[in-house]
């Protein structure tokens, strides 16, 4: 039987991939990639862009596609056997990419190509070469002897630790449950009760967000809220099972990053991380965050004072904040998230989203057939004038064995292959919404709707690119602190009346969202925005200081406490171990980059203001955003994309206005 990971078909056969396929397939593809690397660096191989792409990109792209498929399954359909197979090959894959990134001969080839052809190459190819030469330096290509060996060892160990960190969070999330009676769940929405009810009549509560959040928001039982809160904020820490404790992994990850920075000649890892980003350095980022914190603090203090007053002297511990906040929002704006949720069924929201994309970017979206990893996963095609533009998988619902959170990943990127064949981009769009119960469709909160639009923005960036060169097509090569621009831009549609009319349809009867409810939602849009802004800044400043100051790996908790003392107005309890499940920076690529959410939010708010000025569905504005941002991918610097779209440098004004933080 053919190994599905070795197939050259346009799409992976996800349903057929088994743990026993991983080792032989990845071993074979690694061998082919090593052979291609050896050929590429031979003295007799011409220092020519097309030649190097034909030899090297063809082999490494095939390896990358197969490894991405395994990694994706490991994230969304985790089993002990698949995890073992993935982890068994992770060191070899890491070793290959580390060695290729530090290969002196290949580095010399790329520099020779730039010298010989730089003036005649297309702009995307010049950008790609510029990035490649920079990345060779950051990947240790200029290191020698023991330093080179140590760098390679750091990469291998770091990959192992990051995978371990992610597994511990998943296991700690999946491994906790609490059984409660219906009486103990007074106030909790009916759909959550239905989804958690067991055969014996009790309800199984978990730490998955579709259960955890509504319990924290609505459960009248304060002791129950405290139980869930303690479990959630101590996941993968010393307060839980020792085998899931991320304390040691977290410290070692940071220590290895700082050692890597010193090997490369940088003062700290934050300097390394920011080298390929828009921000000029840690000082600029820190100044940006502290300035935003200063602007947000009066609004956060007002938010907290209003919450305390509304609670009327009732205790306001960490496990009470969501509960009283929801009560305050209901009292002030006369609606609840649960009321809104009845109008957003998953099928209606998805159909409405697709309609908006079709209208704005001149494409059509059609469901199609493909091999999938779970029977709830859907597969779609984007077409323009009947021509296939892109494809994507949509995996909406939470389940055991699926990593928490929401993300976009890629199966393949757009590429004009050396054979002359155009490769269609394929995206993976993953969320963790509450599943349908019985014969009712799944209900989404408005926050869920925003999350779906956010991830689809990433997907559009990947799928609508018109760049033909791997490395700068789609999101590849886009500065990390600008890559959130299209995703956060898309969130704005979720606050437009015309849009919500398309998205909504009551679960009982199909009536669209009433105007008076929309007006209440809009009035409540910036509810507690000061508190939420400071929370994001807390995470971002912690991340930047953790990777920008020496010795922080030994005092992670103290550093986080210091940041909270500086920034937060709501200080979590001492047992809170948020950092132990902060996968974004310890396992998800956001190290010294978490600030990018706020940085890109500034860009997206300013970009959206063009649509506010010119019309949300103004076809020319939509075409300009498509042409200057989405289609460009990483072929042009992000600031140049922004200026080409907006006609000027970005400003903070729109961000503050959108978040209601103006006097």
């Amino acid at each position: 039987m053919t190994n599905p990971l070795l197939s050259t078909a346009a799409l992976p056969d996800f349903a057929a991939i088994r743990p026993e396929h991983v080792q032989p397939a990845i071993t074979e593809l690694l061998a082919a990639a090593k052979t291609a690397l050896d050929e590429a660096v031979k003295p007799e191989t011409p220092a020519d862009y097309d030649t190097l792409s034909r030899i090297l990109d063809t082999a490494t792209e095939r390896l990358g596609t197969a490894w991405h498929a395994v990694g994706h399954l490991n994230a969304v359909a985790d089993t002990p056997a698949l995890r073992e197979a993935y982890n068994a090959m992770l060191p070899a894959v890491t070793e290959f990419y580390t060695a290729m990134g530090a290969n002196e001969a290949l580095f010399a080839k790329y520099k020779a190509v730039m010298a010989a052809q730089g003036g005649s190459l297309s702009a995307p190819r010049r950008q790609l070469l510029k990035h490649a030469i920079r990345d060779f330096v950051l990947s240790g290509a200029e290191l020698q002897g023991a330093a080179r060996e140590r760098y390679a060892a750091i990469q291998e160990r770091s990959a192992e630790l990051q995978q371990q960190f992610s597994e511990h969070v998943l296991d700690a999330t999946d491994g906790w449950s609490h059984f409660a009676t219906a009486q103990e769940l007074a106030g909790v929405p009916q759909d959550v009760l239905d989804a958690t009810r067991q055969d014996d009549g009790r309800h199984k509560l978990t730490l998955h967000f579709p259960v955890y959040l509504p319990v924290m928001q609505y459960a009248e039982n304060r002791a129950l809220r405290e139980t869930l809160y303690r479990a959630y904020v101590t996941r993968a820490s010393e307060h839980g099972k020792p085998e899931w404790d991320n304390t040691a992994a977290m410290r070692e990850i940071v220590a290895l990053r700082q050692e890597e920075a010193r090997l490369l000649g940088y003062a700290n890892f934050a300097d390394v991380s920011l080298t390929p980003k828009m921000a000029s350095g840690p000082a600029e980022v820190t100044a940006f965050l502290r300035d935003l914190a200063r602007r947000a603090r009066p609004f956060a203090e007002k938010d907290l004072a209003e919450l305390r007053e509304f609670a009327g002297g009732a205790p306001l511990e960490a496990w009470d904040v969501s509960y009283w906040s929801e009560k305050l929002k209901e009292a002030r704006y006369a609606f609840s998230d649960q009321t809104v949720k009845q109008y957003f069924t998953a099928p209606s929201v998805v159909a409405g989203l697709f309609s908006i994309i079709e209208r704005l970017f001149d494409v059509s979206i059609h469901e199609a057939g493909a091999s999938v990893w779970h029977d709830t996963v859907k597969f779609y095609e984007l077409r323009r004038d009947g021509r296939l533009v892109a494809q994507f998988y949509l995996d909406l619902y939470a389940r055991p064995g699926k990593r928490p959170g929401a993300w976009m990943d890629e199966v393949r990127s757009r590429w004009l292959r050396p054979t002359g064949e155009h490769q269609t981009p394929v995206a993976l769009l993953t969320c963790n919404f509450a599943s349908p119960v019985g014969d009712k469709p799944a209900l989404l909160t408005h926050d869920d709707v925003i999350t779906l639009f956010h991830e689809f923005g990433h997907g559009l960036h990947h799928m609508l690119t018109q760049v033909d060169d791997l490395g700068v097509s789609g999101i590849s090569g886009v500065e990390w602190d600008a890559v959130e621009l299209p995703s956060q831009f898309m969130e704005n549609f979720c606050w437009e009346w015309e849009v919500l009319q398309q998205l909504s349809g009551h679960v009982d009867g199909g009536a669209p969202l009433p105007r008076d409810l929309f007006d209440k939602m809009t009035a409540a849009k910036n509810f507690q925005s000061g508190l939420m802004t400071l929370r994001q800044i807390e995470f971002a400043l912690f991340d930047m200081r953790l990777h920008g100051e020496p010795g922080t790996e030994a005092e992670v908790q103290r550093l986080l406490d210091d940041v909270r003392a500086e920034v937060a107005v709501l200080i979590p309890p001492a047992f809170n171990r948020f950092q132990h499940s902060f996968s974004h920076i310890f396992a998800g690529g956001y190290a010294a980059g978490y600030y990018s959410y706020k940085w890109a939010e500034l860009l997206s708010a300013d970009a959206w203001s063009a649509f506010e000025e010119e019309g949300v569905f103004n076809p020319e504005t939509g075409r300009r955003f498509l042409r200057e941002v989405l289609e460009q991918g990483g072929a042009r610097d992000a600031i140049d994309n922004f200026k080409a779209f907006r006609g000027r440098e970005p400003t903070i004004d729109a961000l503050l206005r959108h978040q209601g933080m103006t006097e």
Side-chain angles (χ1 to χ4, degrees), residues 487-613:
S487 55
Q488 293 181 346
F489 165 84
M490 286 298 298
E491 293 181 18
N492 292 285
F493 285 100
C494 302
W495 292 102
E496 294 293 324
W497 169 242
E498 183 180 355
V499 170
L500 292 189
Q501 286 284 282
Q502 295 181 45
L503 299 182
S504 61
H506 197 281
V507 65
D508 297 319
L513 187 78
R515 179 71 203 212
D516 66 326
L517 182 53
F518 169 76
D519 290 340
K520 292 171 183 176
M521 291 166 60
T522 304
K525 177 184 177 184
N526 292 316
F527 178 65
Q528 296 186 341
S529 64
L531 283 173
M532 287 186 283
T533 297
L534 287 192
R535 180 172 166 80
Q536 287 296 105
I537 293 171
E538 174 189 317
F539 298 164
L541 192 57
F542 164 68
D543 168 43
M544 190 55 58
R545 289 189 59 189
L546 181 71
H547 292 100
E549 298 174 12
T552 54
E553 68 275 6
E555 299 183 279
V556 175
Q557 186 64 55
R558 181 201 58 77
L559 176 66
L560 184 53
D561 291 343
D562 285 353
V563 170
R564 285 170 171 160
E566 175 187 352
V567 170
V569 296
L570 263 175
I571 306 294
F575 62 76
N576 183 293
R577 292 293 181 269
F578 155 78
Q579 66 272 26
H580 286 70
S581 59
F582 197 3
S583 296
H584 275 77
I585 70 168
F586 291 112
Y590 276 85
Y594 196 82
Y595 76 93
S596 62
Y597 281 106
K598 280 297 172 193
W599 188 277
E601 203 173 336
L602 184 155
L603 299 176
S604 68
D606 202 347
W608 180 253
S609 62
F611 284 78
E612 292 176 315
E613 295 161 10

Side-chain angles (χ1 to χ4, degrees), residues 28-151:
E28 181 176 328
L29 293 170
L30 275 171
K34 289 173 183 175
T35 299
L37 177 59
D38 290 342
E39 184 181 348
V41 300
K42 285 179 181 176
E44 59 268 28
T45 300
D48 170 81
Y49 185 100
D50 287 322
T51 301
L52 288 179
S53 180
R54 175 180 55 78
I55 295 170
L56 197 54
D57 289 346
T58 302
T60 56
E61 197 271 344
R62 193 171 175 214
L63 168 64
T65 299
W67 186 241
H68 262 109
V70 177
H72 178 69
L73 290 175
N74 189 52
V76 299
D78 178 67
T79 65
L82 181 60
R83 180 183 293 190
E84 182 181 358
Y86 178 83
N87 286 337
M89 293 309 300
L90 180 61
V93 174
T94 304
E95 181 183 4
F96 168 74
Y97 282 109
T98 301
M100 185 172 72
N103 189 294
E104 290 180 90
L106 187 60
F107 185 25
K109 287 277 188 187
Y110 274 94
K111 288 190 288 188
V113 172
M114 179 66 97
Q117 297 183 296
S120 60
L121 290 173
S122 66
R125 289 187 170 188
R126 283 197 304 276
Q127 180 86 326
L128 190 152
L129 283 174
K130 183 178 76 171
H131 288 177
I133 290 167
R134 175 202 67 203
D135 293 343
F136 270 111
V137 175
L138 293 177
S139 296
E142 296 180 327
L143 299 178
Q144 301 294 326
R148 173 182 287 266
E149 292 178 8
R150 179 57 187 157
Y151 181 92

Side-chain angles (χ1 to χ4, degrees), residues 1-5 7 9-18 21 69 73 370-373 393:
M1 182 178 175
T2 304
N3 189 318
L5 287 168
S7 170
L11 298 168
D13 188 353
F14 283 111
I17 296 171
R18 298 287 180 267
H21 295 139
L73 290 175
S371 172
V372 295
W373 51 93
Y393 299 83

Side-chain angles (χ1 to χ4, degrees), residues 254-291:
V254 177
L256 288 172
R257 287 171 178 167
Q258 299 294 18
E259 184 182 356
E260 174 189 326
R262 291 191 296 272
L263 283 173
L264 294 173
Y266 289 87
N268 53 65
F269 187 78
D271 283 332
V272 177
S273 175
L274 291 174
T275 296
K277 294 182 171 71
M278 282 182 73
S280 61
E284 183 182 11
V285 172
T286 302
F288 164 70
L289 292 173
R290 285 180 165 142
D291 176 56

